[in-house]
Amino acid sequence: MTETLKQGSATAASRIYETLRQDLLNGRYRAGERLSITLLRETYEVGLSPLREALNRLAAYGLLRQENQRGFRVLELTREELADITEMRRQLEGMALELAIRHGDEEWESQLLAANHRLARAGEHTPVVEWEGLHSRFHSALVEPCGSAWLLRFISQLHDQFDRYRRVAPRAQELRHQLDSQHQELVDLALARNARQARALIEEHITLSSEVAKCSCR
Amino acid sequence: MTETLKQGSATAASRIYETLRQDLLNGRYRAGERLSITLLRETYEVGLSPLREALNRLAAYGLLRQENQRGFRVLELTREELADITEMRRQLEGMALELAIRHGDEEWESQLLAANHRLARAGEHTPVVEWEGLHSRFHSALVEPCGSAWLLRFISQLHDQFDRYRRVAPRAQELRHQLDSQHQELVDLALARNARQARALIEEHITLSSEVAKCSCR
DNA sequence: TTTCTGGAAATAATCGATTATTTGACTCAG
DNA sequence: CTGAGTCAAATAATCGATTATTTCCAGAAA
C-alpha cells in the first residue's frame, strides 16, 4: 500500500531515461563515445526493452545520435555547435524574457525572487548537482510566463545541450562571480519591467556562459 | 544480394517511425485518440519492440503524448496550440529566411528556383501526398542556408506540427491560390536579396496558412 | 439511485531468447 | 608487404512469452 508513493508510478523506461539524461549532461560519458547496450544494461541494472526505449527517446531529443544497426553514440562537443546553441539561446531566451516581462503576474515575481534567493544562498560547499538544479530552476522561472509552450520547450532543450558543454568545463571563479551577479541584475530588471535592458542582459549572460564553456570543445 | 538496395539498410523501428509519422501528419488517426499497441502491430504488421521504439521517438519528438502505464495518445488539435505554433513559425522562419538571404550562394538560388518550379507545376491532378512533399521541400529550400542546424531542426518540427492542422482542413481554393502566388513572390524577394520584405512576406504567408488551418480545431 | 468493492478482461511494460548485422582478425593471392 | 575475401566473435535488433497495471463491469452496501 505504501508502495506507490511516487506519483503516477514511473515506468522503468522513464526512470532510466531521466538517469541517463542526467549522466549525459554531467559528462559521465565521453563526447563521441559509443554506448554499448550490453554494458549499459549491467551498469544501470535494467532490462533491454526499457533501456532501448530510453535511448530512442534521448536520440529523438538530441542528446544521442542513433545509427541504424550501429547503436547509439554520445554527441561530439564542437565549437561550431556551441556557437549555434549559444546564438539560438540568445534569440529564444531573449524573446521569451521580453514576453515574460510583459505577461508575468505577481505570482511570477514571487517565484522569481524565491528561485534567485535559493540560488544565491547556495555557496561553495553546496553540492554541484544541487547548485545545477537551482540554476536550472532559476532560468526556467525567468521565462516561464512567456505564454508559449513551444518556446519553453525549445529553450529547455537548448539548456540541456548547453549544459553538456558548461558542466564539463573547469569552474572559472572570476567569471563565475560575474555570472552570479548577473542573476541578481536580471531579477531587478524583470521586476522593474524593463524588457529592453533585461533582454540585452540575458543575451550578454548567455554569451559570457558560452565563453566559460568553450574550453570543453575538442 | 539485391536485398539491401535501400541505402544503409533501415531498421524496422526506423521504417515504422517514418510511416507512423506520415500517417499522423495526414490525420489518419483522430486527435486525442488512444493508439492501441496491439492494433498498431496488426495494422502495420510489425513486431512489438520496433513499434514501441518508434512510438517512444514520436513522443519525444512531440507528435504523440506518452502516459506511463497508459500507452500513447495522438495530440489534440486546439486553437491555442495552433496559435502558438503559428507564432513560433513566424519568428523562427522569419529569422531563418533573413539569415538564408544573407548567406545563401548561387547553388541555393538554383535549388530554390527548382523547388519552386516543381511546386508550381504540380496542378489539380497531382496526388495530394506528392504536392505535400514538394511543398515541404520548397519551404526547406527557402531557409536551408541559414547556418543554424538547431534553427532548421526546430523549424522542421514546427512544420510537422503545423501540418497536422493544415492537412486535415478543407482545401479552400481561394486562399490556396493566394498562398501559391506568395511562393513565387518569396522566391523573387529572396533572389533580390530583399531580406526585410521577404521576412514580412513569409510571416504573412504563415499567418494566412494558419487561417486555412483554423477550422481543423475542435 | 448512487457509490464502493472485487475481480476478470484488456492492454501496457518488461524479460529472456533468437536473429541479423557489423567488426575485426586472419588468410592468401598478387 | 598489400589488399581483397572469409569467417568468427561481438553486438544491435527483433521476436515470443510473461508480468504488471489499468479498465470495466457486476454486485453489494448505503
Side-chain angles (χ1 to χ4, degrees), chain A residues 11-13 47-50 70:
Chain A
T11 61
L48 190 58
S49 312
R70 247 171 280 183

